[in-house]
Amino acid sequence: MKKNLLLGMAIAGLAMTLPIGAMAQNDDYVVVEEDVTIMDMPQCKDIYYSSWKDNWFMQMGAGMNLPMLENYLPDGSEKHHITAVYNLGIGKWLTPHFGWRISGLYGAIHWDNNVYSKAKYANANFDLMWDMFNSVGGVNTNRVFSIIPFVGLGGTYTWDFNDHTPAIRTSYGDKPNQWTLPVSAGLQMRLRLCRYADFFIEGRAQFYGDNFNNYAYGEPVDVNITAIGGFTINFGGRSFNSINPCNDIGYINGLNAQVNDLRASLALCSAALAEAEAQLPCPEIAPTTVVQQVNTTNAILLSTVRFARNSATITDAEMVNVYNVAEWLKENPKQNIVIKGYADEGTGTSDYNMELSRHRAQNVYDALVNYGVNANRLSIQAEGSNSQLYDTNDWNRIVIFAPAK
């Protein structure tokens, strides 16, 4: 009996000195201490992605083209002719930085080759696009103005030549049409009108072999310069999801630190138990003496709920923390809590972040009620981005729990 009594006393001492599972008590709130230096590592960057169904766009426009071809008249004069061109394209942004499109051009070309000459052409290009501002200035899908360089490879069909004798002939006579494969480069300037529409102006230079106009003479490269303006329709708007592989490293480090503290405390208690056993036998304890149990009823559950940027959706991984809070509240029916929502100050306006933090707190509130917690025991509080728990901005997309006053 004496040995059992000593063992009970040691266990009670262990309970009073150790954190109770993942629970702790504070007059305000409790959050996990995180290792700031981990988030500063170069590999801890946001990774953006979207579904194959998202971020498609279509563009329509019109403008002018200026062909730089064999261009002279018998009197020695020369003049470059500007003509109309029409544009239609469709594409997709794979990330906030890079996208692709298939862009078509249709128009006429005019030039002087001893006599005034003209033809029609249709062109299709596959372009690779780079959003320079998102890459240099940080991702912002709501940016008003963007500059987008692009390069492309395409095919052009030219026909309806007239008023001149082609320099390219076949065994069947004059060649009536021409296929060419141009390479091109250009620059687009995009002005956001709303989430679903942009206005754009872009210039493109297309480089051909010396047979674009079915006439091979002079310079070995024909060039066609186009300048168009128009509108881009963004199907569903522009939006991307993001993850950061280091978001949970600090949280894991905090848990590891708690585990290490538990191990150290357990070692101390084991040593105390061994010392107590070495002092046996000990006096009998009166039957009326009762070992006081540790009261953990008012302990606040050490848990947080983290969110992705610009999102109030609770992920499956974070829903585990919400479930743990619900179970803790069921075990402590006299404890009421305040659900506090936050947003990081680096994204959005103060008013927008206040509303976003309110949605985050409300979603956690609804989830706790769904897990069987009485709604009267819960209240929500939106902190927005005016109050920041962490120096590291990304960590402030969070909901924490505090005891109700």
Side-chain angles (χ1 to χ4, degrees):
M1 175 183 175
K2 295 177 181 179
K3 185 174 182 179
N4 292 339
L5 180 60
L6 287 174
L7 181 60
M9 293 174 63
I11 293 175
L14 175 63
M16 289 185 288
T17 56
L18 294 181
I20 307 299
M23 303 164 59
Q25 184 173 346
N26 194 303
D27 292 336
D28 189 8
Y29 53 80
V30 176
V31 294
V32 176
E33 295 292 335
E34 303 182 78
D35 186 357
V36 177
T37 59
I38 292 179
M39 297 298 294
D40 295 334
M41 295 172 61
Q43 65 268 30
C44 293
K45 303 292 184 182
D46 287 334
I47 300 172
Y48 294 89
Y49 65 95
S50 66
S51 166
W52 67 270
K53 298 181 292 185
D54 297 333
N55 298 300
W56 287 89
F57 65 87
M58 182 176 69
Q59 68 177 50
M60 298 171 288
M64 61 184 184
N65 53 213
L66 177 64
M68 311 292 288
L69 309 173
E70 295 79 11
N71 199 65
Y72 64 92
L73 292 172
D75 62 4
S77 63
E78 61 179 33
K79 177 182 178 180
H80 295 292
H81 299 276
I82 295 176
T83 54
V85 64
Y86 305 94
N87 166 247
L88 180 66
I90 188 169
K92 174 179 171 60
W93 286 101
L94 304 174
T95 72
H97 313 288
F98 297 103
W100 63 267
R101 71 176 176 185
I102 297 175
S103 180
L105 298 170
Y106 169 77
I109 54 173
H110 296 175
W111 73 99
D112 296 322
N113 182 28
N114 286 323
V115 295
Y116 178 72
S117 306
K118 61 182 180 179
K120 297 177 181 178
Y121 81 97
N123 164 255
N125 296 282
F126 178 80
D127 298 329
L128 296 177
M129 309 174 71
W130 174 46
D131 192 315
M132 183 170 64
F133 281 15
N134 272 349
S135 299
V136 176
V139 174
N140 181 1
T141 55
N142 297 322
R143 182 173 279 114
V144 174
F145 179 74
S146 300
I147 295 180
I148 303 171
F150 60 87
V151 294
L153 179 65
T156 300
Y157 178 67
T158 315
W159 77 99
D160 199 18
F161 298 96
N162 60 357
D163 295 334
H164 81 292
T165 302
I168 300 177
R169 296 182 172 87
T170 68
S171 58
Y172 302 100
D174 293 343
K175 188 173 176 62
N177 51 56
Q178 189 64 257
W179 282 99
T180 47
L181 298 175
V183 295
S184 61
L187 194 69
Q188 180 184 97
M189 292 180 286
R190 183 179 67 194
L191 179 66
R192 175 187 172 93
L193 301 179
C194 65
R195 179 182 178 189
Y196 302 100
D198 305 316
F199 174 75
F200 75 89
I201 298 175
E202 73 174 51
R204 180 196 294 265
Q206 294 179 297
F207 303 91
Y208 296 85
D210 194 21
N211 58 338
F212 171 45
N213 62 338
N214 214 21
Y215 191 87
Y217 180 79
E219 297 297 330
V221 176
D222 288 341
V223 180
N224 190 32
I225 298 174
T226 61
I228 59 175
F231 297 93
T232 300
I233 306 301
N234 303 303
F235 300 112
R238 286 196 304 269
S239 61
F240 293 90
N241 298 314
S242 66
I243 59 173
N244 191 311
C246 300
N247 274 349
D248 296 324
I249 290 181
Y251 186 74
I252 294 172
N253 285 345
L255 294 177
N256 287 336
Q258 293 181 55
V259 171
N260 291 334
D261 289 343
L262 288 170
R263 288 174 175 171
S265 298
L266 183 61
L268 291 174
C269 286
S270 296
L273 177 60
E275 182 180 354
E277 288 179 337
Q279 297 177 2
L280 290 176
C282 63
E284 290 288 345
I285 298 177
T288 56
T289 302
V290 177
V291 178
Q292 184 178 1
Q293 296 182 350
V294 177
N295 181 11
T296 62
T297 302
N298 295 323
I300 303 303
L301 185 65
L302 181 66
S303 188
T304 60
V305 181
R306 299 182 179 276
F307 295 85
R309 176 181 296 176
N310 197 29
S311 173
T313 302
I314 306 173
T315 65
D316 292 342
E318 296 300 320
M319 192 62 78
V320 174
N321 295 335
V322 178
Y323 175 81
N324 288 338
V325 174
E327 292 300 303
W328 182 86
L329 287 170
K330 293 175 185 178
E331 294 174 0
N332 297 272
K334 295 183 179 181
Q335 179 67 63
N336 300 333
I337 63 170
V338 180
I339 303 167
K340 295 186 176 183
Y342 291 83
D344 64 278
E345 62 183 0
T347 305
T349 64
S350 177
D351 291 341
Y352 177 84
N353 288 337
M354 183 63 70
E355 189 63 24
L356 177 60
S357 68
R358 189 183 309 280
H359 285 162
R360 287 170 173 170
Q362 184 65 51
N363 287 347
V364 173
Y365 174 98
D366 294 340
L368 288 172
V369 172
N370 288 337
Y371 281 131
V373 178
N374 190 327
N376 294 330
R377 301 175 59 194
L378 310 174
S379 60
I380 64 173
Q381 182 174 328
E383 298 289 345
S385 58
N386 297 329
S387 174
Q388 300 284 275
L389 296 176
Y390 297 107
D391 293 335
T392 300
N393 202 38
D394 293 350
W395 293 0
N396 292 298
R397 305 170 196 144
I398 195 171
V399 161
I400 65 171
F401 305 95
K405 300 295 185 180

